[in-house]
Amino acid sequence: MTTAKHLLWSDEYLLTLFASLDNYCFWNNSKDGGFRIDRFLLLKKFCPAIGIFKLPMDPDDKGLPTFTPVFIRGNRIQEVDGNTIQVIIERLLELWDADTGGNVGGELIVKMGFTHKLFDDKGLKNLSRKTGIEVLKDTPRSAYIFFSNGWVEVTADGTSNLKTYEQIPADKFIWENRIIQDDYVTKTSDIQGKTYFLDFISNLSRDEEGNVSKGNLDRIMLALGYLSHRCQIADMRQWVLVVDRNASPNGQANGGNGKSILIRSLFGFLNACEIDGREFRKSSGDRFAFSSVSASTDIVYFDDADSNFDLKRLYSKVTGSWQVDVKFKDTFTIPDKDAPKVAITSNYTLGGDDSSTQRRNFQIEVSDYYKTQREEYGLRPTDLHDQKLIAVKGGGWNADDWGHYYSTICDCISLYLKKGLPTQSEESITFKRNRLCAQMPVDDKEGLLDYFFDLLQSAVKTGAEIFAEVFYKKTREKFDFPEKFTNREIWELLKRVGKAFRLVPNHDHKGCLKQQRLCGEERKTRWLDEGMQDYRDSNGKDPLEDTNSKVYVFTVTSFLTPQDVCMSHSTDFNKSSDEMTFSTGM
């Protein structure tokens, strides 16, 4: 998690707390002439006197109250744990000895060191509760960004002028680690130099011809704005999934396009928790996977998610509160309105067409610009940006570069507050083809996809009723499926392709095959014309011999709109065919 360089318990501040040592002594003289630590006085009297409390959080899933320990100074709050609390108190005692020339503080430090589990979870539960804390935080219509020299408010209309901390209402508090340890440049004219960050996200937005696509750029900016807005709007909670537009159709890992750089670029702006996406698998179920999430975490980032990444484990995280289980510590719950946003990067075509996944999925695609530059010209991202790393402290950016970055992020937030997130998941034709190809269980993946698509288009054009048995027979004759791959699974693949391109089999039957009698002359003739005279059902019977026998059939309905882009073979792609299109219909 990103932490503030400035700690609330600086030596300068601790020097002002010596009166607390005199007025709230937490020790008594013992019979042997030493000191005895009074836990009640320490936790209930002394800690609150120097600013250490427990801050109530939401109840856990069993309805029990939860809390997180904090250090409060003025209207600033910083999270602490048991070890940090002990460090603060020991440093205060050291400074006290240095000021008085005594050694009482040193003796107390030794005594505290031998006091068993002084600040364990049981001890922290006995800290005084701090109520009435109202944190100044983002709302559905605004965002507050804090800098070393002041703060700004971002709305759909833009970014305000810089405000002083004295303008924060006296009854409002702010998280210390949400203060960016840089000055905010108040006027665009004050900023000189190149727009490295805007150049970077523009490169990620390039289309197949190498031009920056405004639609792609807007989508990336919306994603950055959504992640940077510290407010959960109930009907807009989604994860952001960043993928390669030219993902491998064979499902192979294909990285190096700047996806991780894009999400990590927010780490200088947000409090982030990074989790290895390769470890967050469907077979894992680790209840401590989110143990590094804290009450002030803004974004949880899953890096390099592989093909076994468990999206379903995130369903509740983008719809409800966050319960955080930490080994050997008490569980605490972050309320849904303050829950962190979720971002995922993957070299694979994750997710599915099911509605539960799609309504939670905000997908953005990045171009292969940086990968191409490296493979064809040997140029790394730093070579393309004057040997400077993107949004990395110590990576070469000067104050003006950071000024451009913060200004761009504020623009992204403003764009999000103005437009919100699209109501439907979108993907380019290129990515859609590659995603579907990755699901084809045959060697000729693109050939099977094109076969399905051509069949669907032809069925729409002719309005013909298709025998499912004929479809299965012809499909298996053309492609070599795995031994145990069933006809039902072939049907589901066809439906998946149809749904992706709004060519829906048996829409009026909710995607289920229909049964029709084969006794009519027209159907019998078509059946025989399709070469099915030798067909036998699963019971070995010829359906032509039984007047009551039924076969399965389907028709295809088109839901294409003028805005939809018709799919063609991959060799026919052009600039217009790679525009974003709806991935799920109706």
PDB file of all heavy atoms in Angstrom, residues 5-28:
ATOM      1  N   LYS A   5       4.835   9.969   2.997  1.00  0.00           N
ATOM      2  CA  LYS A   5       6.194  10.147   3.510  1.00  0.00           C
ATOM      3  C   LYS A   5       6.155  10.805   4.886  1.00  0.00           C
ATOM      4  O   LYS A   5       7.016  10.563   5.722  1.00  0.00           O
ATOM      5  CB  LYS A   5       6.994  11.015   2.531  1.00  0.00           C
ATOM      6  CG  LYS A   5       7.292  10.324   1.201  1.00  0.00           C
ATOM      7  CD  LYS A   5       8.113  11.229   0.315  1.00  0.00           C
ATOM      8  CE  LYS A   5       8.449  10.543  -1.004  1.00  0.00           C
ATOM      9  NZ  LYS A   5       9.228  11.415  -1.898  1.00  0.00           N
ATOM     10  N   HIS A   6       5.176  11.639   5.116  1.00  0.00           N
ATOM     11  CA  HIS A   6       5.063  12.359   6.384  1.00  0.00           C
ATOM     12  C   HIS A   6       4.228  11.543   7.349  1.00  0.00           C
ATOM     13  O   HIS A   6       3.119  11.114   7.027  1.00  0.00           O
ATOM     14  CB  HIS A   6       4.400  13.718   6.136  1.00  0.00           C
ATOM     15  CG  HIS A   6       4.147  14.479   7.406  1.00  0.00           C
ATOM     16  ND1 HIS A   6       2.915  14.480   8.029  1.00  0.00           N
ATOM     17  CD2 HIS A   6       4.962  15.225   8.173  1.00  0.00           C
ATOM     18  CE1 HIS A   6       2.978  15.227   9.127  1.00  0.00           C
ATOM     19  NE2 HIS A   6       4.210  15.682   9.225  1.00  0.00           N
ATOM     20  N   LEU A   7       4.763  11.304   8.545  1.00  0.00           N
ATOM     21  CA  LEU A   7       4.034  10.590   9.579  1.00  0.00           C
ATOM     22  C   LEU A   7       3.486  11.594  10.578  1.00  0.00           C
ATOM     23  O   LEU A   7       4.155  12.571  10.940  1.00  0.00           O
ATOM     24  CB  LEU A   7       4.946   9.586  10.281  1.00  0.00           C
ATOM     25  CG  LEU A   7       5.517   8.474   9.395  1.00  0.00           C
ATOM     26  CD1 LEU A   7       6.470   7.605  10.200  1.00  0.00           C
ATOM     27  CD2 LEU A   7       4.409   7.631   8.797  1.00  0.00           C
ATOM     28  N   LEU A   8       2.286  11.355  11.056  1.00  0.00           N
ATOM     29  CA  LEU A   8       1.668  12.284  11.999  1.00  0.00           C
ATOM     30  C   LEU A   8       2.441  12.352  13.310  1.00  0.00           C
ATOM     31  O   LEU A   8       2.400  13.357  14.009  1.00  0.00           O
ATOM     32  CB  LEU A   8       0.219  11.853  12.274  1.00  0.00           C
ATOM     33  CG  LEU A   8      -0.771  12.045  11.118  1.00  0.00           C
ATOM     34  CD1 LEU A   8      -2.165  11.588  11.533  1.00  0.00           C
ATOM     35  CD2 LEU A   8      -0.812  13.495  10.660  1.00  0.00           C
ATOM     36  N   TRP A   9       3.129  11.271  13.681  1.00  0.00           N
ATOM     37  CA  TRP A   9       3.851  11.226  14.950  1.00  0.00           C
ATOM     38  C   TRP A   9       5.327  11.609  14.773  1.00  0.00           C
ATOM     39  O   TRP A   9       6.240  10.899  15.184  1.00  0.00           O
ATOM     40  CB  TRP A   9       3.728   9.852  15.586  1.00  0.00           C
ATOM     41  CG  TRP A   9       4.036   8.705  14.663  1.00  0.00           C
ATOM     42  CD1 TRP A   9       5.240   8.128  14.432  1.00  0.00           C
ATOM     43  CD2 TRP A   9       3.098   8.026  13.837  1.00  0.00           C
ATOM     44  NE1 TRP A   9       5.132   7.127  13.514  1.00  0.00           N
ATOM     45  CE2 TRP A   9       3.821   7.034  13.128  1.00  0.00           C
ATOM     46  CE3 TRP A   9       1.721   8.151  13.613  1.00  0.00           C
ATOM     47  CZ2 TRP A   9       3.199   6.171  12.217  1.00  0.00           C
ATOM     48  CZ3 TRP A   9       1.124   7.298  12.707  1.00  0.00           C
ATOM     49  CH2 TRP A   9       1.853   6.314  12.026  1.00  0.00           C
ATOM     50  N   SER A  10       5.577  12.742  14.146  1.00  0.00           N
ATOM     51  CA  SER A  10       6.950  13.226  13.986  1.00  0.00           C
ATOM     52  C   SER A  10       7.540  13.583  15.350  1.00  0.00           C
ATOM     53  O   SER A  10       6.809  13.830  16.323  1.00  0.00           O
ATOM     54  CB  SER A  10       6.966  14.466  13.089  1.00  0.00           C
ATOM     55  OG  SER A  10       6.239  15.527  13.700  1.00  0.00           O
ATOM     56  N   ASP A  11       8.858  13.617  15.446  1.00  0.00           N
ATOM     57  CA  ASP A  11       9.518  13.993  16.699  1.00  0.00           C
ATOM     58  C   ASP A  11       9.051  15.370  17.158  1.00  0.00           C
ATOM     59  O   ASP A  11       8.833  15.603  18.354  1.00  0.00           O
ATOM     60  CB  ASP A  11      11.035  14.001  16.516  1.00  0.00           C
ATOM     61  CG  ASP A  11      11.623  12.599  16.511  1.00  0.00           C
ATOM     62  OD1 ASP A  11      10.857  11.628  16.663  1.00  0.00           O
ATOM     63  OD2 ASP A  11      12.859  12.472  16.353  1.00  0.00           O
ATOM     64  N   GLU A  12       8.909  16.277  16.201  1.00  0.00           N
ATOM     65  CA  GLU A  12       8.493  17.634  16.544  1.00  0.00           C
ATOM     66  C   GLU A  12       7.140  17.616  17.244  1.00  0.00           C
ATOM     67  O   GLU A  12       6.927  18.333  18.229  1.00  0.00           O
ATOM     68  CB  GLU A  12       8.427  18.476  15.272  1.00  0.00           C
ATOM     69  CG  GLU A  12       7.982  19.913  15.518  1.00  0.00           C
ATOM     70  CD  GLU A  12       7.871  20.697  14.221  1.00  0.00           C
ATOM     71  OE1 GLU A  12       8.003  20.078  13.141  1.00  0.00           O
ATOM     72  OE2 GLU A  12       7.621  21.912  14.294  1.00  0.00           O
ATOM     73  N   TYR A  13       6.230  16.789  16.755  1.00  0.00           N
ATOM     74  CA  TYR A  13       4.908  16.724  17.373  1.00  0.00           C
ATOM     75  C   TYR A  13       4.965  15.991  18.715  1.00  0.00           C
ATOM     76  O   TYR A  13       4.327  16.409  19.691  1.00  0.00           O
ATOM     77  CB  TYR A  13       3.926  16.025  16.441  1.00  0.00           C
ATOM     78  CG  TYR A  13       2.533  15.926  17.013  1.00  0.00           C
ATOM     79  CD1 TYR A  13       1.748  17.064  17.190  1.00  0.00           C
ATOM     80  CD2 TYR A  13       2.008  14.698  17.406  1.00  0.00           C
ATOM     81  CE1 TYR A  13       0.473  16.987  17.731  1.00  0.00           C
ATOM     82  CE2 TYR A  13       0.729  14.611  17.948  1.00  0.00           C
ATOM     83  CZ  TYR A  13      -0.027  15.753  18.109  1.00  0.00           C
ATOM     84  OH  TYR A  13      -1.288  15.663  18.646  1.00  0.00           O
ATOM     85  N   LEU A  14       5.723  14.895  18.783  1.00  0.00           N
ATOM     86  CA  LEU A  14       5.803  14.135  20.034  1.00  0.00           C
ATOM     87  C   LEU A  14       6.369  14.978  21.176  1.00  0.00           C
ATOM     88  O   LEU A  14       6.001  14.791  22.338  1.00  0.00           O
ATOM     89  CB  LEU A  14       6.658  12.876  19.834  1.00  0.00           C
ATOM     90  CG  LEU A  14       6.074  11.791  18.906  1.00  0.00           C
ATOM     91  CD1 LEU A  14       7.048  10.631  18.775  1.00  0.00           C
ATOM     92  CD2 LEU A  14       4.726  11.301  19.423  1.00  0.00           C
ATOM     93  N   LEU A  15       7.251  15.939  20.846  1.00  0.00           N
ATOM     94  CA  LEU A  15       7.807  16.812  21.879  1.00  0.00           C
ATOM     95  C   LEU A  15       6.731  17.651  22.567  1.00  0.00           C
ATOM     96  O   LEU A  15       6.910  18.098  23.699  1.00  0.00           O
ATOM     97  CB  LEU A  15       8.872  17.741  21.275  1.00  0.00           C
ATOM     98  CG  LEU A  15      10.209  17.081  20.876  1.00  0.00           C
ATOM     99  CD1 LEU A  15      11.058  18.051  20.078  1.00  0.00           C
ATOM    100  CD2 LEU A  15      10.958  16.605  22.128  1.00  0.00           C
ATOM    101  N   THR A  16       5.611  17.864  21.885  1.00  0.00           N
ATOM    102  CA  THR A  16       4.539  18.677  22.468  1.00  0.00           C
ATOM    103  C   THR A  16       3.648  17.857  23.396  1.00  0.00           C
ATOM    104  O   THR A  16       2.731  18.412  24.012  1.00  0.00           O
ATOM    105  CB  THR A  16       3.666  19.292  21.361  1.00  0.00           C
ATOM    106  OG1 THR A  16       2.941  18.250  20.680  1.00  0.00           O
ATOM    107  CG2 THR A  16       4.514  20.038  20.341  1.00  0.00           C
ATOM    108  N   LEU A  17       3.890  16.544  23.506  1.00  0.00           N
ATOM    109  CA  LEU A  17       3.000  15.661  24.265  1.00  0.00           C
ATOM    110  C   LEU A  17       3.547  15.275  25.633  1.00  0.00           C
ATOM    111  O   LEU A  17       2.999  14.393  26.288  1.00  0.00           O
ATOM    112  CB  LEU A  17       2.727  14.379  23.451  1.00  0.00           C
ATOM    113  CG  LEU A  17       2.088  14.567  22.066  1.00  0.00           C
ATOM    114  CD1 LEU A  17       1.936  13.218  21.367  1.00  0.00           C
ATOM    115  CD2 LEU A  17       0.730  15.249  22.191  1.00  0.00           C
ATOM    116  N   PHE A  18       4.639  15.925  26.060  1.00  0.00           N
ATOM    117  CA  PHE A  18       5.227  15.531  27.336  1.00  0.00           C
ATOM    118  C   PHE A  18       4.257  15.691  28.501  1.00  0.00           C
ATOM    119  O   PHE A  18       4.323  14.960  29.500  1.00  0.00           O
ATOM    120  CB  PHE A  18       6.491  16.351  27.622  1.00  0.00           C
ATOM    121  CG  PHE A  18       7.654  15.953  26.754  1.00  0.00           C
ATOM    122  CD1 PHE A  18       8.785  16.763  26.676  1.00  0.00           C
ATOM    123  CD2 PHE A  18       7.634  14.780  26.021  1.00  0.00           C
ATOM    124  CE1 PHE A  18       9.854  16.405  25.890  1.00  0.00           C
ATOM    125  CE2 PHE A  18       8.700  14.414  25.225  1.00  0.00           C
ATOM    126  CZ  PHE A  18       9.818  15.231  25.163  1.00  0.00           C
ATOM    127  N   ALA A  19       3.324  16.656  28.394  1.00  0.00           N
ATOM    128  CA  ALA A  19       2.353  16.848  29.470  1.00  0.00           C
ATOM    129  C   ALA A  19       1.513  15.599  29.668  1.00  0.00           C
ATOM    130  O   ALA A  19       1.059  15.303  30.784  1.00  0.00           O
ATOM    131  CB  ALA A  19       1.465  18.041  29.169  1.00  0.00           C
ATOM    132  N   SER A  20       1.310  14.830  28.592  1.00  0.00           N
ATOM    133  CA  SER A  20       0.522  13.602  28.696  1.00  0.00           C
ATOM    134  C   SER A  20       1.215  12.570  29.560  1.00  0.00           C
ATOM    135  O   SER A  20       0.572  11.766  30.234  1.00  0.00           O
ATOM    136  CB  SER A  20       0.265  13.020  27.297  1.00  0.00           C
ATOM    137  OG  SER A  20      -0.458  13.932  26.505  1.00  0.00           O
ATOM    138  N   LEU A  21       2.546  12.622  29.588  1.00  0.00           N
ATOM    139  CA  LEU A  21       3.284  11.681  30.427  1.00  0.00           C
ATOM    140  C   LEU A  21       3.086  12.004  31.904  1.00  0.00           C
ATOM    141  O   LEU A  21       2.991  11.114  32.745  1.00  0.00           O
ATOM    142  CB  LEU A  21       4.773  11.721  30.068  1.00  0.00           C
ATOM    143  CG  LEU A  21       5.147  11.103  28.716  1.00  0.00           C
ATOM    144  CD1 LEU A  21       6.567  11.473  28.336  1.00  0.00           C
ATOM    145  CD2 LEU A  21       4.991   9.592  28.777  1.00  0.00           C
ATOM    146  N   ASP A  22       3.025  13.275  32.208  1.00  0.00           N
ATOM    147  CA  ASP A  22       2.832  13.682  33.607  1.00  0.00           C
ATOM    148  C   ASP A  22       1.389  13.497  34.053  1.00  0.00           C
ATOM    149  O   ASP A  22       1.125  13.056  35.180  1.00  0.00           O
ATOM    150  CB  ASP A  22       3.231  15.161  33.776  1.00  0.00           C
ATOM    151  CG  ASP A  22       4.734  15.356  33.633  1.00  0.00           C
ATOM    152  OD1 ASP A  22       5.478  14.415  33.964  1.00  0.00           O
ATOM    153  OD2 ASP A  22       5.137  16.430  33.162  1.00  0.00           O
ATOM    154  N   ASN A  23       0.460  13.819  33.162  1.00  0.00           N
ATOM    155  CA  ASN A  23      -0.953  13.799  33.564  1.00  0.00           C
ATOM    156  C   ASN A  23      -1.619  12.449  33.385  1.00  0.00           C
ATOM    157  O   ASN A  23      -2.667  12.192  33.983  1.00  0.00           O
ATOM    158  CB  ASN A  23      -1.733  14.855  32.757  1.00  0.00           C
ATOM    159  CG  ASN A  23      -1.229  16.271  33.022  1.00  0.00           C
ATOM    160  OD1 ASN A  23      -0.732  16.556  34.111  1.00  0.00           O
ATOM    161  ND2 ASN A  23      -1.341  17.130  32.020  1.00  0.00           N
ATOM    162  N   TYR A  24      -1.035  11.579  32.549  1.00  0.00           N
ATOM    163  CA  TYR A  24      -1.652  10.282  32.269  1.00  0.00           C
ATOM    164  C   TYR A  24      -0.627   9.156  32.427  1.00  0.00           C
ATOM    165  O   TYR A  24      -0.459   8.325  31.532  1.00  0.00           O
ATOM    166  CB  TYR A  24      -2.244  10.266  30.856  1.00  0.00           C
ATOM    167  CG  TYR A  24      -3.321  11.294  30.644  1.00  0.00           C
ATOM    168  CD1 TYR A  24      -3.033  12.527  30.067  1.00  0.00           C
ATOM    169  CD2 TYR A  24      -4.640  11.034  31.025  1.00  0.00           C
ATOM    170  CE1 TYR A  24      -4.030  13.478  29.868  1.00  0.00           C
ATOM    171  CE2 TYR A  24      -5.639  11.981  30.832  1.00  0.00           C
ATOM    172  CZ  TYR A  24      -5.328  13.201  30.247  1.00  0.00           C
ATOM    173  OH  TYR A  24      -6.312  14.131  30.060  1.00  0.00           O
ATOM    174  N   CYS A  25       0.069   9.159  33.549  1.00  0.00           N
ATOM    175  CA  CYS A  25       1.068   8.110  33.792  1.00  0.00           C
ATOM    176  C   CYS A  25       0.411   6.735  33.714  1.00  0.00           C
ATOM    177  O   CYS A  25      -0.647   6.509  34.309  1.00  0.00           O
ATOM    178  CB  CYS A  25       1.698   8.286  35.172  1.00  0.00           C
ATOM    179  SG  CYS A  25       2.721   9.758  35.303  1.00  0.00           S
ATOM    180  N   PHE A  26       1.030   5.823  32.991  1.00  0.00           N
ATOM    181  CA  PHE A  26       0.474   4.482  32.848  1.00  0.00           C
ATOM    182  C   PHE A  26       1.329   3.451  33.582  1.00  0.00           C
ATOM    183  O   PHE A  26       1.304   2.283  33.267  1.00  0.00           O
ATOM    184  CB  PHE A  26       0.347   4.094  31.358  1.00  0.00           C
ATOM    185  CG  PHE A  26       1.643   4.167  30.588  1.00  0.00           C
ATOM    186  CD1 PHE A  26       2.509   3.077  30.544  1.00  0.00           C
ATOM    187  CD2 PHE A  26       2.001   5.323  29.909  1.00  0.00           C
ATOM    188  CE1 PHE A  26       3.693   3.139  29.843  1.00  0.00           C
ATOM    189  CE2 PHE A  26       3.185   5.392  29.202  1.00  0.00           C
ATOM    190  CZ  PHE A  26       4.036   4.299  29.168  1.00  0.00           C
ATOM    191  N   TRP A  27       2.086   3.915  34.567  1.00  0.00           N
ATOM    192  CA  TRP A  27       2.952   3.010  35.316  1.00  0.00           C
ATOM    193  C   TRP A  27       2.847   3.296  36.817  1.00  0.00           C
ATOM    194  O   TRP A  27       2.477   4.391  37.249  1.00  0.00           O
ATOM    195  CB  TRP A  27       4.395   3.143  34.841  1.00  0.00           C
ATOM    196  CG  TRP A  27       4.977   4.524  35.050  1.00  0.00           C
ATOM    197  CD1 TRP A  27       5.656   4.982  36.131  1.00  0.00           C
ATOM    198  CD2 TRP A  27       4.911   5.630  34.142  1.00  0.00           C
ATOM    199  NE1 TRP A  27       6.029   6.294  35.965  1.00  0.00           N
ATOM    200  CE2 TRP A  27       5.592   6.707  34.750  1.00  0.00           C
ATOM    201  CE3 TRP A  27       4.354   5.808  32.870  1.00  0.00           C
ATOM    202  CZ2 TRP A  27       5.717   7.951  34.117  1.00  0.00           C
ATOM    203  CZ3 TRP A  27       4.499   7.036  32.262  1.00  0.00           C
ATOM    204  CH2 TRP A  27       5.171   8.101  32.883  1.00  0.00           C
ATOM    205  N   ASN A  28       3.143   2.290  37.599  1.00  0.00           N
ATOM    206  CA  ASN A  28       3.183   2.399  39.067  1.00  0.00           C
ATOM    207  C   ASN A  28       4.501   1.818  39.556  1.00  0.00           C
ATOM    208  O   ASN A  28       5.154   1.013  38.863  1.00  0.00           O
ATOM    209  CB  ASN A  28       2.031   1.608  39.707  1.00  0.00           C
ATOM    210  CG  ASN A  28       0.675   2.162  39.296  1.00  0.00           C
ATOM    211  OD1 ASN A  28       0.426   3.352  39.414  1.00  0.00           O
ATOM    212  ND2 ASN A  28      -0.200   1.280  38.808  1.00  0.00           N
TER     213      ASN A  28
END
